[in-house]
Amino acid sequence: MNLTPITKTVHAVLAFILLVSVSALAQQTPINRQALVVRHNIVNTKIDSLESLSLGNGKFAFTADVTGLQTFPERYAKGVSLGTQSEWGWNRWKDTVGYKFEETLKEYTLNGKKSTYSIQYSEPLRKRSAADWFRKSVHRVQLGNMGFDIYKKDGSLAKPADIKDIRQTLNMWTGELSSHFTVEGVPVDVITLGHQEQDLVAFQVKSPLITMGRLKVKMVYPYPTADFLDEGVNYKNPEKHTSAIRTTSADGAVLEHQLEGISYFNSLKWSAASIAKTSTPHYYQITPDKGAQVFELSCLFSPVKAEPSALPSFVQTKVNSNSKWKDFWMSGAAIDFTGSTDPRAKELERRVITSQYLTKIQCAGSFPPQETGLTFNSWFGKPHLEMHWWHAVHFALWNRPQLMTNTLDWYFKVRDGAKEIAQRQGFKGNRWQKMTDHEGLESPSSVGAFILWQQPHPIYMAELAYRDKNSKEVLEKYKDIVFGTAEFMASFPSYDSLKNQYNLGKGLIPAQEVFKAEDTYNPTYELAYWDWALRIAQKWRERLGMPRDAEWDKVINKLAPLPKYNGVYLSTENNKDSFTNEKWLRDHPSVLGALGMVPASAKLDKATMQRTFDTVWKVWQWPDTWGWDFPMTAMTAARLGNPNKAIDALFMKIQTNTYLKNGHNYQDGRLRIYLPGNGGVLATVAMMAGGWDGSTGLNPGFPKDGKWKVKSEGFKKMP
């Protein structure tokens, strides 16, 4: 049949309309979220120290080995350690020397002004010891190891090599960890659960070993090392802490563990058992009744004593876990890559699901998490507030803003300390802590004392909270945080009369931590972030019917331009050899963050940023980077209109861009898990799906080459 040109045109238009309609219909069909999650359930079939699995609720986490409990903590110590940690579980060593925080301060003259910074000293010995004391004396603790003691036929304890026929599954939809294994051919089946509203772990174990009297439960209390990374297996120093059985009853018992600066309880509720202290200090055994092959136990970790009868049972914990996890997955946004032919799509979907699970149990508490969450300590268990963006922003973009504001609200608690830092250094407002603890205390650091890219984060998060509600209530709630943050930001830059501009620095270390504080000024990323955040703070004043702050406007209007040289943006203005000297081509390529994490501003030229991006991509020493650098690079590529490069960035084959079977972002042997990488994946995927201010169309950050079939729902736009 011969068709006229008009008929052909009509047919083509109808075909296009049909294609668009089918695509729109597919986009409107809700994602089967349960199917999406469970197809990424994690399965272990062998003992691997990097494959431990965690249960938790955001404020408490329990990490288990292949037995479903913490039976072999020393076997996992150099991998993803078997930690039990909470938000409240902090110890403080007694000061027997009489250190004063003032001993950690050093005076600098920067921009003609004297200021003091809390740093680490190499000498004299007294100052070095004082700085070490204030870095380490307050530290998060491993609350205890709860595992199995399984006896072989010859009476010896089973070792990791005796655990056979392993089949362990973490069902992220229900929060259930199911573990099957055998010892000398005898099966053991364990279901472990984390309560979603209490710091409680419950488990059920089924095995003939119970009736044989060969399976017991152990509770062991290690002593904190206060090392950079505490693996929770220090069983030395028994004289430095105490533990005891406080009460026993037919349905349970209460244990108390006392350290120098904290005392807490383990309340145990069991189906039928008895408890006894062993000959090893701080080591207790629970012996199930031999009358049944099934044993159930609930274990609460708490700073206050709770009666066993008040604890939820295993069954009640199961109902709680199943219900709350379903609520989590059914809330907020979702993304499905079914039908994609790009082989990386399946892996990206896995990273997205496991990262949501991990950040929910590790980062959704009431104050910013440490970089290793509630699994084990890094940097003595202390949060780094410059990482708070990576830990929290994704929650709002995935339309779960309350999980972000939980930690944003913590700034109210620590703002007095932040104000003291600013005043001590001669500035206004609140200078937010860098390396801190649950109380907001400042930790001495020769690098951290000069870092300030954490400063705009509360404004960014408050703005996301406002966008979600678009209400005056949010403005009123967070205005003091926003304004106190902006006051410091406006007072920090120094005026350059020769150039008639405000410079950021000298006296700072940018996100790329390779530059000397005394020499560094006008880093591109921080300048862009400073400009954006101060403008948002002024918008908040206007939304509240307040006049613009004249001092803030002076800085906004005369803030130094983004430094560039030879057609590209520099890492910092004082380093014109940013891209020719190898010593500057490592650590975070944060210059890209000026368009990625930070929205495009009037100060930024996209053509210059494109050249900068291309240069960084070619010359950067990518093996010397961190897990969030790849998502940040992807964000910049997406905003520059190159979604294929965004995918390439997310899958750059670099060790620090590794994602383990359990979902954790692996860095190296020193730092085996790194949650900012997980948060970065989630923030970037949210941006690529939900878009950003000024973007148009569905899933604007994903390639349109036909290889990516992206179905998304519920995302919020990134600023």
Side-chain angles (χ1 to χ4, degrees):
M1 179 175 63
N2 295 323
L3 299 178
T4 67
I6 294 177
T7 305
K8 289 180 180 178
T9 301
V10 171
H11 283 192
V13 170
L14 290 174
F16 176 77
I17 293 173
L18 179 60
L19 179 64
V20 171
S21 299
V22 170
S23 176
L25 181 62
Q27 185 68 23
Q28 291 171 5
T29 304
I31 293 171
N32 184 335
R33 298 195 177 199
Q34 183 173 1
L36 172 65
V37 173
V38 300
R39 66 174 171 251
H40 297 289
N41 282 348
I42 303 165
V43 178
N44 288 331
T45 56
K46 65 182 187 303
I47 292 179
D48 185 325
S49 65
L50 291 175
E51 293 180 0
S52 57
L53 298 168
S54 299
L55 303 167
N57 56 30
K59 297 184 177 184
F60 169 83
F62 177 89
T63 301
D65 61 24
V66 295
T67 69
L69 296 182
Q70 298 166 336
T71 303
F72 303 113
E74 290 169 304
R75 173 66 177 79
Y76 285 72
K78 299 302 180 183
V80 180
S81 307
L82 306 183
T84 307
Q85 294 196 334
S86 71
E87 286 195 334
W88 51 263
W90 291 80
N91 186 41
R92 182 192 299 270
W93 281 339
K94 291 181 180 178
D95 182 359
T96 59
V97 177
Y99 294 117
K100 292 180 171 50
F101 188 74
E102 290 73 20
E103 296 179 80
T104 74
L105 300 179
K106 181 178 179 179
E107 186 176 82
Y108 293 81
T109 300
L110 301 164
N111 308 305
K113 181 170 65 175
K114 292 183 177 181
S115 299
T116 58
Y117 292 79
S118 179
I119 67 164
Q120 296 160 273
Y121 285 85
S122 57
E123 56 180 354
L125 178 60
R126 170 72 186 204
K127 283 183 171 291
R128 184 178 73 189
S129 299
D132 284 347
W133 168 261
F134 284 103
R135 279 174 68 83
K136 299 178 181 181
S137 63
V138 178
H139 48 272
R140 198 190 305 262
V141 293
Q142 152 72 308
L143 298 174
N145 301 123
M146 182 173 68
F148 292 117
D149 275 343
I150 301 174
Y151 292 88
K152 297 164 66 176
K153 292 176 183 178
D154 63 6
S156 64
L157 277 175
K159 297 178 180 179
D162 298 310
I163 307 301
K164 307 291 186 182
D165 306 313
I166 295 167
R167 179 75 181 182
Q168 182 180 57
T169 302
L170 174 61
N171 186 331
M172 291 178 284
W173 180 262
T174 62
E176 293 186 25
L177 180 61
S178 302
S179 308
H180 169 83
F181 58 95
T182 63
V183 177
E184 296 182 319
V186 182
V188 181
D189 289 281
V190 185
I191 298 175
T192 318
L193 301 152
H195 201 282
Q196 295 305 293
E197 296 163 307
Q198 300 184 42
D199 295 350
L200 180 141
V201 177
F203 70 88
Q204 177 193 79
V205 54
K206 296 180 180 180
S207 177
L209 291 172
I210 297 174
T211 58
M212 299 176 191
R214 290 169 48 193
L215 184 147
K216 299 185 179 185
V217 178
K218 63 181 176 182
M219 179 64 71
V220 188
Y221 297 105
Y223 185 73
T225 63
D227 289 339
F228 162 79
L229 194 154
D230 189 344
E231 287 137 348
V233 293
N234 177 31
Y235 304 120
K236 302 174 183 177
N237 316 112
E239 75 286 352
K240 291 187 176 181
H241 54 134
T242 63
S243 59
I245 301 171
R246 293 305 181 198
T247 63
T248 59
S249 61
D251 63 348
V254 177
L255 298 169
E256 183 178 11
H257 186 217
Q258 293 180 313
L259 298 166
E260 299 93 329
I262 185 175
S263 176
Y264 59 93
F265 299 88
N266 278 129
S267 296
L268 308 171
K269 180 177 185 175
W270 52 58
S271 51
S274 60
I275 188 170
K277 180 177 174 59
T278 71
S279 59
T280 302
H282 311 294
Y283 194 128
Y284 300 86
Q285 276 190 334
I286 300 150
T287 303
D289 189 273
K290 295 181 181 180
Q293 292 190 9
V294 180
F295 175 66
E296 296 177 352
L297 185 145
S298 298
C299 176
L300 175 72
F301 294 81
S302 175
V304 296
K305 183 179 177 182
E307 293 301 321
S309 59
L311 269 57
S313 66
F314 168 80
V315 172
Q316 290 170 323
T317 303
K318 179 181 173 71
V319 170
N320 171 271
S321 177
N322 292 178
S323 172
K324 295 300 181 181
W325 273 110
K326 180 180 178 181
D327 290 346
F328 171 77
W329 291 113
M330 292 302 294
S331 72
I335 192 165
D336 186 332
F337 298 129
T338 299
S340 298
T341 58
D342 189 308
R344 298 169 293 183
K346 184 177 180 180
E347 170 60 13
L348 183 57
E349 190 178 274
R350 182 190 76 89
R351 293 184 187 184
V352 164
I353 295 299
T354 55
S355 292
Q356 286 181 85
Y357 177 84
L358 289 171
T359 55
K360 168 62 173 67
I361 68 174
Q362 307 268 3
C363 307
S366 55
F367 73 89
Q370 63 174 318
E371 293 176 34
T372 44
L374 294 167
T375 302
F376 57 79
N377 279 0
S378 56
W379 287 278
F380 322 105
K382 297 185 176 183
H384 293 172
L385 292 193
E386 82 277 20
M387 291 295 108
H388 195 196
W389 195 100
W390 298 104
H391 289 306
V393 162
H394 63 88
F395 286 129
L397 301 179
W398 281 76
N399 203 11
R400 299 180 181 119
Q402 72 282 0
L403 299 183
M404 178 193 73
T405 55
N406 286 345
T407 54
L408 176 59
D409 290 351
W410 177 80
Y411 287 85
F412 290 111
K413 179 179 178 180
V414 301
R415 59 181 167 178
D416 288 346
K419 187 174 184 178
E420 289 175 9
I421 296 171
Q423 289 179 339
R424 188 186 77 219
Q425 296 174 350
F427 303 114
K428 298 178 181 179
N430 304 327
R431 178 170 190 161
W432 299 112
Q433 300 86 333
K434 191 279 187 193
M435 178 176 166
T436 183
D437 58 28
H438 61 310
E439 297 177 357
L441 300 176
E442 185 181 7
S443 294
S445 172
S446 296
V447 174
F450 296 97
I451 285 177
L452 45 66
W453 62 285
Q454 73 273 18
Q455 187 65 25
H457 290 348
I459 294 179
Y460 195 106
M461 287 183 272
E463 178 68 7
L464 289 179
Y466 172 74
R467 286 175 171 227
D468 178 64
K469 299 287 187 183
N470 199 28
S471 71
K472 189 174 182 180
E473 181 182 359
V474 173
L475 296 173
E476 291 289 350
K477 178 178 179 179
Y478 293 113
K479 66 180 181 182
D480 290 343
I481 296 297
V482 170
F483 297 159
T485 301
E487 283 176 3
F488 171 81
M489 294 179 67
S491 67
F492 182 83
S494 57
Y495 181 65
D496 183 340
S497 58
L498 293 178
K499 294 183 177 179
N500 189 26
Q501 68 182 33
Y502 284 93
N503 293 324
L504 207 54
K506 301 177 179 179
L508 64 87
I509 293 178
Q512 185 187 353
E513 298 176 15
V514 299
F515 299 102
K516 189 177 180 181
E518 295 95 323
D519 301 329
T520 301
Y521 63 98
N522 291 339
T524 292
Y525 163 65
E526 280 81 358
L527 271 176
Y529 203 4
W530 227 251
D531 178 67
W532 178 85
L534 280 173
R535 292 176 188 274
I536 292 296
Q538 291 284 42
K539 278 190 176 182
W540 273 57
R541 293 182 64 89
E542 292 171 343
R543 290 166 181 163
L544 285 163
M546 302 169 65
R548 293 174 66 89
D549 187 292
E551 291 299 314
W552 301 358
D553 270 339
K554 280 173 57 178
V555 175
I556 291 170
N557 294 332
K558 293 186 177 183
L559 192 62
L562 305 185
K564 57 185 177 181
Y565 184 71
N566 286 340
V568 297
Y569 287 120
L570 298 171
S571 297
T572 70
E573 186 171 339
N574 55 296
N575 287 91
K576 288 187 170 57
D577 59 346
S578 290
F579 296 114
T580 57
N581 190 330
E582 283 191 1
K583 69 179 181 179
W584 308 132
L585 299 175
R586 58 187 179 87
D587 200 61
H588 309 295
S590 55
V591 63
L592 300 182
L595 179 67
M597 292 174 67
V598 180
S601 69
K603 287 183 172 293
L604 185 133
D605 174 65
K606 281 194 174 182
T608 303
M609 180 53 80
Q610 181 66 66
R611 291 190 294 271
T612 306
F613 181 93
D614 293 340
T615 301
V616 169
W617 190 273
K618 292 176 184 176
V619 305
W620 208 259
Q621 298 178 36
W622 289 104
D624 190 0
T625 51
W626 297 70
W628 58 265
D629 294 326
F630 308 98
M632 178 187 68
T633 303
M635 290 180 193
T636 308
R639 287 191 194 257
L640 288 171
N642 195 339
N644 286 291
K645 211 68 172 178
I647 295 295
D648 291 343
L650 287 175
F651 284 93
M652 201 177 292
K653 292 183 178 181
I654 302 296
Q655 177 178 286
T656 52
N657 197 31
T658 300
Y659 286 80
L660 303 172
K661 180 186 283 190
N662 54 23
H664 278 295
N665 178 211
Y666 177 87
Q667 300 301 283
D668 53 34
R670 172 175 171 264
L671 193 63
R672 280 92 68 180
I673 64 174
Y674 189 61
L675 286 163
N678 297 97
V681 166
L682 294 177
T684 302
V685 169
M687 172 196 182
M688 293 168 70
W692 55 93
D693 287 354
S695 69
T696 58
L698 296 172
N699 308 309
F702 283 96
K704 303 298 189 290
D705 56 8
K707 295 181 180 180
W708 286 83
K709 304 297 183 184
V710 183
K711 186 175 182 180
S712 63
E713 59 191 30
F715 287 99
K716 297 284 190 175
K717 272 195 172 185
M718 181 180 273

